[in-house]
Amino acid sequence: MSIQFVHETRPQRVRFGSGGAATALSAEFTLLGITRAMVITTASATAAADRITAGLPVVLRYRDVAMHVPVEVAERARSAAAAHDVDALVSIGGGSATGLAKAVALTTGLPVVAVPTTYAGSEATDVWGLTEGARKTTGTDPRVLPRAIVYDAELTTSLPVAMSVASGVNALAHCVDSMWAPRTDPIDQALAVEGMRALRTGLPMVVADPAGLTGREHTLYAAYLAAVAFASAGAGLHHKICHVLGGMFGLPHAPTHAVVLPHVLAFNGPAAPEAARRVADAVGGPLPALLDSLEAPKALRDFGFAESDIPSAVEAVLPAVPPGNPRPVTAEDVTALLHAAWQGR
Ligand code: NAD
């Protein structure tokens, strides 16, 4: 079969090195000419943020961050950025902190430097997300793509094991969905396969030795590859389902991905056998076996999703089914999938 595709890369500097965040961040301030930074962090990252930005020109330290970026939280952050006349946004934290920086960049065009402390991967995408009421909206815009990423695996050692696993499986979901998402191409798939391989290596090490750096480095490296693949390939069925669950029911992002992923793979896999084979090869066998060995979250009912929520979720998922999904998706299919995810493996 001939190889033919159009692949677009996204311009971004990536600095990767354990223990190097302060030096790397300082280099970015110099390169980007930052003189009035707004540092956006979650409570969990406050101490790390203070340490790695010590001595840098920070005019605002901002902590009003919330999961899935509610519109009113974004508006408050935009006002604060304007009031302090900031010239750059530095996010230090998980996807929620990165997401808020992106929401400010979306309307202001301010450059973002991202220092991730989870494996969510938002730092490597031009995807923004906002939640209004119970509805999560996402879009893409080159302005929200961070100009630079500073990866320091030391910053992730404080992420509790269960959260690390869920977040790592969120990265795995970026990889799996990238195998059949609407714009997938051979480069996305190569990145995704290498990401899955690195996750299969890294995550068991994180579970066995949460303070050890090697497993954290493999997992963080994978998180980047996964997000680059996802940014290029677009959101597949898995992400569309998780966006509905997160936005409508306020379910926690990473655990929701961890629960839903094997059900989407079981649904799409038979219609995309080559992708399913590459996933299995990369993760070393059936995905549920890896998830079980990591004690990944198993059931949506453990996270506040009720069986009675399934019909309204189905109604919201159906119009969002991505074009080109490996197989058609009916209301019955989504109902069965969500019921299985609600009940648990
Ligand atoms: P999060 O940022 O909300 O973090 C989860 C929890 O972990 C929080 O309580 C946080 O304070 C804590 N935490 C983070 N880092 C820690 C650390 N190193 N040590 C201890 N605690 C730590 O969650 P997340 O899973 O990183 O990100 C989820 C959000 O990111 C969602 O809103 C999701 O939609 C978004 N997201 C966006 C993209 C994108 O491309 N736009 C990609 C992935 C995720």
Side-chain angles (χ1 to χ4, degrees):
M1 205 168 69
S2 75
I3 297 179
Q4 231 179 46
F5 60 86
V6 176
H7 176 88
E8 198 174 321
T9 55
R10 285 158 184 73
Q12 210 175 32
R13 196 166 28 250
V14 180
R15 297 177 184 264
F16 197 108
S18 294
T23 309
L25 203 49
S26 171
E28 285 306 331
F29 269 61
T30 305
L31 265 172
L32 297 171
I34 299 171
T35 58
R36 298 184 62 80
M38 171 174 179
V39 174
I40 299 176
T41 53
T42 36
S44 56
T46 306
D50 289 350
R51 181 172 55 74
I52 64 179
T53 58
L56 294 176
V58 174
V59 293
L60 177 60
R61 293 183 185 276
Y62 197 80
R63 289 181 192 132
D64 181 12
V65 174
M67 181 95 84
H68 303 309
V69 199
V71 171
E72 55 280 10
V73 172
E75 281 305 330
R76 283 201 295 272
R78 289 165 180 160
S79 303
H84 288 80
D85 193 23
V86 310
D87 64 2
L89 308 161
V90 178
S91 62
I92 304 176
S96 298
T98 315
L100 184 58
K102 285 175 158 183
V104 179
L106 183 65
T107 52
T108 61
L110 287 166
V112 178
V113 179
V115 187
T117 65
T118 70
Y119 311 117
S122 174
E123 66 281 357
T125 82
D126 52 8
V127 179
W128 55 265
L130 285 166
T131 307
E132 188 156 22
R135 199 155 170 276
K136 184 166 178 179
T137 315
T138 60
T140 58
D141 194 303
R143 280 176 301 184
V144 310
L145 180 77
R147 300 281 175 88
I149 310 174
V150 170
Y151 283 116
D152 178 345
E154 270 184 12
L155 300 176
T156 70
T157 54
S158 55
L159 193 63
V161 170
M163 190 62 213
S164 301
V165 167
S167 189
V169 178
N170 185 188
L172 197 56
H174 287 145
C175 295
V176 173
D177 233 13
S178 293
M179 301 302 287
W180 48 52
R183 298 187 305 271
T184 188
D185 65 45
I187 295 180
D188 303 334
Q189 293 168 5
L191 292 166
V193 166
E194 170 64 0
M196 290 187 274
R197 192 205 56 74
L199 285 163
R200 175 219 180 170
T201 306
L203 281 174
M205 294 170 86
V206 169
V207 171
D209 178 18
L213 278 180
T214 312
R216 298 283 183 181
E217 285 177 350
H218 281 287
T219 309
L220 200 54
Y221 162 67
Y224 169 72
L225 297 176
V228 173
F230 170 68
S232 171
L237 180 63
H238 169 84
H239 277 81
K240 294 297 184 183
I241 292 173
C242 290
H243 283 172
V244 166
L245 295 174
M248 278 179 78
F249 306 101
L251 302 191
H253 181 80
T256 303
H257 277 267
V259 171
V260 171
L261 182 62
H263 299 284
V264 175
L265 180 60
F267 177 75
N268 267 351
E274 173 64 4
R277 183 193 61 74
R278 294 178 80 186
V279 171
D281 283 355
V283 303
L287 180 68
L290 174 67
L291 298 179
D292 286 347
S293 74
L294 297 169
E295 295 184 15
K298 282 191 156 101
L300 291 181
R301 60 178 164 185
D302 297 338
F303 297 96
F305 186 67
E307 194 175 13
S308 57
D309 292 332
I310 293 176
S312 49
V314 171
E315 209 174 298
V317 166
L318 276 181
V321 169
N325 190 62
R327 58 184 279 193
V329 184
T330 65
E332 292 71 37
D333 294 332
V334 185
T335 303
L337 193 155
L338 286 179
H339 197 269
W342 166 79
Q343 195 164 34
R345 292 196 308 284

